[in-house]
Amino acid sequence: MLKALNLENINKSYGSIQALRDINLTISDGEFFSLLGPSGSGKTTCLKVIAGFEAPDEGSVVIFDQEVTNIPPFKRQVNTVFQDYALFPHMNVRQNVGYSLKVQKLKGPSIEKSIDEILEIVNLTGYDFRKPSELSGGQRQRVALARALVNKPKILLLDEPLGALDLKLREKMQIELKNIQRQFKITFIYVTHDQQEALSMSDRIAVFNDGKIEQVDTPANIYSKPINSFVADFIGTTSIFDKVSAMNLFNLDSAFSVRPENVLIFDKEKDLIGINKNEYFIANGTVIDCQFQGSHLKITFSTDANSKLSAFKSLEGNINQIYDVNSKHLIAWKRSDITILNE
Ligand code: ADP
Ligand code: MG
């Protein structure tokens, strides 16, 4: 598999803040790869190091087998869609999109044709002569995308490109971005703090925490096999039992997590009759919250070991079901459904 990007032992500090710690990462050609993590975890800095806007203190950046660590941004086969789009306010859509082609001193009909083609792909045909201030947020986002794609970079870097859009538009653009990526067959490196977005769009994800990469894997593995409690907690709704609770409640010698969709709720001891107790962990739970979430309820329990645990209960057939706060239940999940966490 052709390598699009290789980061080796990248370290980067701003004064006393270590923004990137020993980053090692290999991304294949054509991958949709996400950098996912909370605000301040180093995602933008990592993107800037790849693009060449920041130089690492240590380490090397290799793009398609070419060492580019000391090569300026415009000589890398990489374009960036910035978080705030950074459109030129005085230029219209065509001028914004054509800017990089003009800078490369390309001239004449081939430029105009490239602009027409890309405007069609991002659904902006007819908006050619509007200024950014005359466009909606979603349209500005498309201009930024068109401008970054028009000179056919081999890698496109996107820094929270949908962050400013409302939920409906964001979901629509997620699908469009995926389609564009398939169509262009280029490598996307996508920064987001939104785990749902990363899980639904990516081929692989790197989870960032405090300048480090905690885990690199497919969305399914990141979700179902988080490597530690940071990843388990950050990705989706999960309940974590620390080592002490795990020992007290289940005589288990390590922390673990369990997903709410794997938790069963029983009202009384005798309702457990149908399940094989050797296969399950069973605990007492007191309801501390019950939320309606459309297709299901999300019920949060406190357990005997002071751990909290969430469960989803499908509402199929009984949409008026509720769990009263302070009511007591038995909660159970399969031993095979837990994820052991290395702290
Ligand atoms: P993210 O994109 O994940 O939110 P950033 O890469 O922007 O995180 O920032 C990582 C850390 O580096 C943060 O603590 C941030 O405050 C710090 N940082 C980023 N850019 C600068 C800068 N130009 N000067 C000083 N500190 C910075
Ligand atoms: Mg950022």
Side-chain angles (χ1 to χ4, degrees):
M1 185 92 83
L2 195 55
K3 275 192 231 161
L5 175 76
N6 202 7
L7 298 178
E8 274 169 31
N9 301 317
I10 300 282
N11 280 287
K12 171 78 189 170
S13 294
Y14 297 106
S16 61
I17 295 168
Q18 204 174 347
L20 296 175
R21 304 165 192 259
D22 256 329
I23 300 294
N24 287 284
L25 194 59
T26 301
I27 298 178
S28 301
D29 189 23
E31 265 195 296
F32 194 118
F33 192 97
S34 292
L35 313 184
L36 171 68
S39 176
S41 59
K43 308 178 299 293
T44 295
T45 306
C46 189
L47 221 55
K48 285 179 174 169
V49 165
I50 298 168
F53 298 117
E54 293 282 5
D57 302 331
E58 275 174 61
S60 70
V61 182
V62 177
I63 293 176
F64 287 99
D65 293 331
Q66 186 197 2
E67 158 100 44
V68 297
T69 318
N70 299 310
I71 287 181
F74 65 92
K75 289 194 177 155
R76 302 186 184 193
Q77 296 164 303
V78 167
N79 273 345
T80 308
V81 177
F82 295 98
Q83 201 161 7
D84 59 2
Y85 313 152
L87 300 176
F88 303 115
H90 57 289
M91 292 187 190
N92 67 31
V93 169
R94 281 196 87 78
Q95 290 164 331
N96 263 289
V97 172
Y99 180 78
S100 66
L101 302 176
K102 298 246 158 73
V103 168
Q104 290 172 44
K105 304 223 164 31
L106 299 175
K107 284 212 177 66
S110 71
I111 284 198
E112 301 308 321
K113 190 160 164 273
S114 300
I115 298 174
D116 287 340
E117 276 171 12
I118 197 76
L119 287 181
E120 194 181 333
I121 286 168
V122 301
N123 245 320
L124 277 176
T125 306
Y127 291 88
D128 304 46
F129 300 106
R130 296 225 196 156
K131 296 270 173 62
S133 60
E134 299 163 329
L135 299 171
S136 70
Q139 289 163 341
R140 282 202 285 274
Q141 208 287 323
R142 288 162 207 266
V143 177
L145 190 62
R147 187 178 61 176
L149 284 170
V150 73
N151 60 358
K152 305 207 161 66
K154 288 192 145 178
I155 302 179
L156 188 65
L157 307 177
L158 303 105
D159 193 354
E160 312 231 13
L162 308 183
L165 308 180
D166 62 56
L167 180 64
K168 268 264 172 288
L169 191 55
R170 204 155 73 219
E171 288 173 348
K172 181 164 177 260
M173 285 304 299
Q174 286 172 4
I175 293 168
E176 286 185 20
L177 276 176
K178 273 300 274 191
N179 280 335
I180 287 170
Q181 192 248 350
R182 281 191 206 106
Q183 205 172 329
F184 277 72
K185 294 193 174 68
I186 58 180
T187 308
F188 272 37
I189 304 179
Y190 191 94
V191 163
T192 181
H193 65 269
D194 179 338
Q195 45 95 4
Q196 204 53 50
E197 189 162 285
L199 290 175
S200 60
M201 297 177 82
S202 317
D203 296 314
R204 285 190 307 150
I205 297 171
V207 181
F208 276 66
N209 173 27
D210 196 20
K212 295 186 305 289
I213 294 181
E214 298 279 4
Q215 187 169 7
V216 179
D217 215 324
T218 60
N221 283 342
I222 293 269
Y223 185 84
S224 59
K225 299 188 185 104
I227 196 165
N228 58 26
S229 51
F230 178 84
V231 178
D233 197 30
F234 193 71
I235 306 292
T237 310
T238 193
S239 306
I240 295 175
F241 286 81
D242 64 21
K243 219 172 159 169
V244 176
S245 306
M247 182 51 85
N248 287 346
L249 280 180
F250 308 115
N251 202 22
L252 190 69
D253 189 26
S254 81
F256 69 91
S257 66
V258 58
R259 296 282 175 196
E261 59 270 32
N262 293 328
V263 176
L264 303 171
I265 306 168
F266 299 94
D267 289 340
K268 298 183 285 300
E269 187 74 40
K270 75 171 178 23
D271 298 336
L272 289 169
I273 209 144
I275 74 167
N276 179 350
K277 290 189 183 171
N278 296 327
E279 286 179 14
Y280 282 79
F281 286 126
I282 300 167
N284 295 304
T286 304
V287 175
I288 54 178
D289 189 45
C290 177
Q291 289 179 347
F292 177 71
Q293 298 200 332
S295 63
H296 60 269
L297 295 174
K298 178 184 172 192
I299 306 128
T300 307
F301 294 93
S302 67
T303 67
D304 292 342
N306 268 338
S307 289
K308 277 192 208 160
L309 174 136
S310 296
F312 290 157
K313 172 89 183 186
S314 166
L315 283 170
E316 265 171 52
N318 184 5
I319 66 162
N320 291 316
Q321 203 175 355
I322 53 158
Y323 284 82
D324 291 324
V325 170
N326 289 329
S327 64
K328 296 191 185 311
H329 302 266
L330 290 162
I331 44 185
W333 56 93
K334 271 198 170 148
R335 287 170 178 265
S336 56
D337 282 337
I338 68 168
T339 302
I340 297 290
L341 302 171
N342 322 307
E343 280 313 274

